[in-house]
Amino acid sequence: MKDVLVIGAGGVASVAVHKMAKNPDLFGKITVASRRQFKCDEIAKSVKERFGADIATAQVDADDIDQTAALIEKVKPALVVNLALPYQDLSIMEACLKTGVHYLDTANYEPRDEAKFQYSWQWDYHDRFKQAGLMALLGSGFDPGVTSVFAMYIKKHLLDRIETLDILDCNGGDHGQHFATNFNPEINIREITAPARHYQDGEWVETPALENRQVFNFDEVGTKNMYLMYHEELESLAKHLPEIKRIRFWMTFGEQYLTHLKVLQNVGMTSIEPIVYEGREIVPLQFLKAVLPEPSTLGTTTKGKTNIGDIATGEKGGAQKTVYVYNICDHEKAYEETGNQAVSYTTGVPAMIGAALMLNGTWKGEGVFNMEQFDPDPFMDMLNDHGLPWQVKELPEPLRF
Ligand code: NDP
């Protein structure tokens, strides 16, 4: 049985469902369910128009374990692909355990009332999934996801030993709006305003948010400012590749984005502390999300490219070597194919690939797993075949910052 239930109907889910429908040899019946069913119906309509395929839709509040389990019982999928928000990870994992179904997501659990994400909450489910003979695959997006697979590909094929790893995430796209985020605004702003953290000689080093800025020339995008940040794959890479001395994550931001963010922060709009407004409690960041454009609506206007990849320095045959593995994705091409911009595309495609590898048994296990625990080669091949081709370059010298 290759039937799949996708939960969530935002930009990432839309891409994943389009790509699943495009590959009927890999996926059987596809059902998409979310909090608002009309969003699922919109995806189903687009898939029908583009590829002539039928998608089933349903309504679910995935915060509710029993409701989610009842839907899983009804749909009877082999796999649940969680493309809702990180807040729902644990309730959907519980529902999968209750119904005996495999699980996949693209972002690790984050409690609503604390801007903090870490894998431990989901790693704690390992024994329960193992005992149930089920598999949970965490973080099958681009970063985390492809960036971890790139690291394993480098370790397997390009270097005997990785000493330093830098993940560089550049979105050179322009959506023509004064201020908008390319994925869920609440999650995005929580991530960017958190202190930066990187891994160095077995320790975590914390520095203020957006303080360490470097300039890098990205292939097909150009020279951009990028900032040191904490990102979830650092935690799992440090666990699974303990020999690495230093792991860092960098993301590019334009001046206009940072100026808006600073003002919003200064006036308290990015706070997750509830305030009372006209007799009712509201969370300023959730209110801000409500007035910002939905990421899934940005596709029509976004132009430019993303360039995301890993730079690793280490030894090969006794000599020092620096390699760069990266993907370039064009916003307009992504939109043409799926009706979504490249940030959703670069996340939805790896979600589809992870799901396909689980369903056909290429990646299998019992328990909770991160991407770097599996053979990178089949995943790398599918990236080339399904719209995210990658390139390998040798750099003349290691990064000098
Ligand atoms: P969106 O905000 O566009 O979509 C989220 C969807 O989840 C919406 O359809 C929303 O429904 C639905 N949802 C929210 N709460 C519930 C609930 N309780 N029950 C059912 N459905 C719910 O986000 P994106 O599509 O941009 O992102 C999806 C996920 O992908 C996020 O977890 C994000 O962090 C992750 N991501 C991962 C990346 C990676 O590279 N690994 C990169 C980018 C994103 P409604 O429309 O009704 O609000």
Side-chain angles (χ1 to χ4, degrees), residues 9-12 35-36 60-63 84 86 88 106 142-144 184 347:
V12 175
R35 192 162 50 182
R36 296 180 295 170
V60 72
D61 177 0
D63 288 320
Q88 280 82 49
T106 63
F142 207 101
D143 43 342
N184 185 277
T347 312

Side-chain angles (χ1 to χ4, degrees), residues 7-14 33-39 60-64 82-89 92 106-108 112 139-145 169 182-185 187-188 191 231-232 289 294-296 341 343-344 346-347:
I7 300 186
V12 175
S14 175
S34 189
R35 192 162 50 182
R36 296 180 295 170
Q37 190 168 348
F38 83 88
K39 300 274 291 179
V60 72
D61 177 0
D63 288 320
D64 184 328
N82 168 17
L83 302 176
L85 296 178
Y87 312 133
Q88 280 82 49
D89 287 3
I92 298 177
T106 63
N108 66 6
R112 266 180 217 276
S140 191
F142 207 101
D143 43 342
D169 178 333
N182 292 294
F183 69 95
N184 185 277
I187 303 298
N188 183 256
E191 180 177 291
H231 219 243
E232 51 200 82
K289 172 186 183 284
E294 282 200 27
S296 55
Q341 36 86 5
V343 174
S344 303
T346 52
T347 312

Side-chain angles (χ1 to χ4, degrees), residues 133-158:
L134 294 174
M135 172 173 170
L137 180 62
L138 308 184
S140 191
F142 207 101
D143 43 342
V146 176
T147 50
S148 308
V149 176
F150 282 172
M152 299 317 288
Y153 179 85
I154 292 169
K155 185 180 153 100
K156 185 171 175 185
H157 298 288
L158 305 178

Side-chain angles (χ1 to χ4, degrees), residues 65-118:
I65 297 169
D66 290 337
Q67 209 185 103
T68 309
L71 177 69
I72 298 173
E73 292 285 6
K74 192 168 154 216
V75 173
K76 300 199 184 328
L79 170 69
V80 172
V81 175
N82 168 17
L83 302 176
L85 296 178
Y87 312 133
Q88 280 82 49
D89 287 3
L90 302 188
S91 51
I92 298 177
M93 288 176 87
E94 286 288 351
C96 284
L97 282 168
K98 219 170 164 179
T99 51
V101 174
H102 302 298
Y103 170 91
L104 175 148
D105 68 28
T106 63
N108 66 6
Y109 175 69
E110 189 169 335
R112 266 180 217 276
D113 53 0
E114 203 186 347
K116 178 178 173 181
F117 49 84
Q118 62 188 40

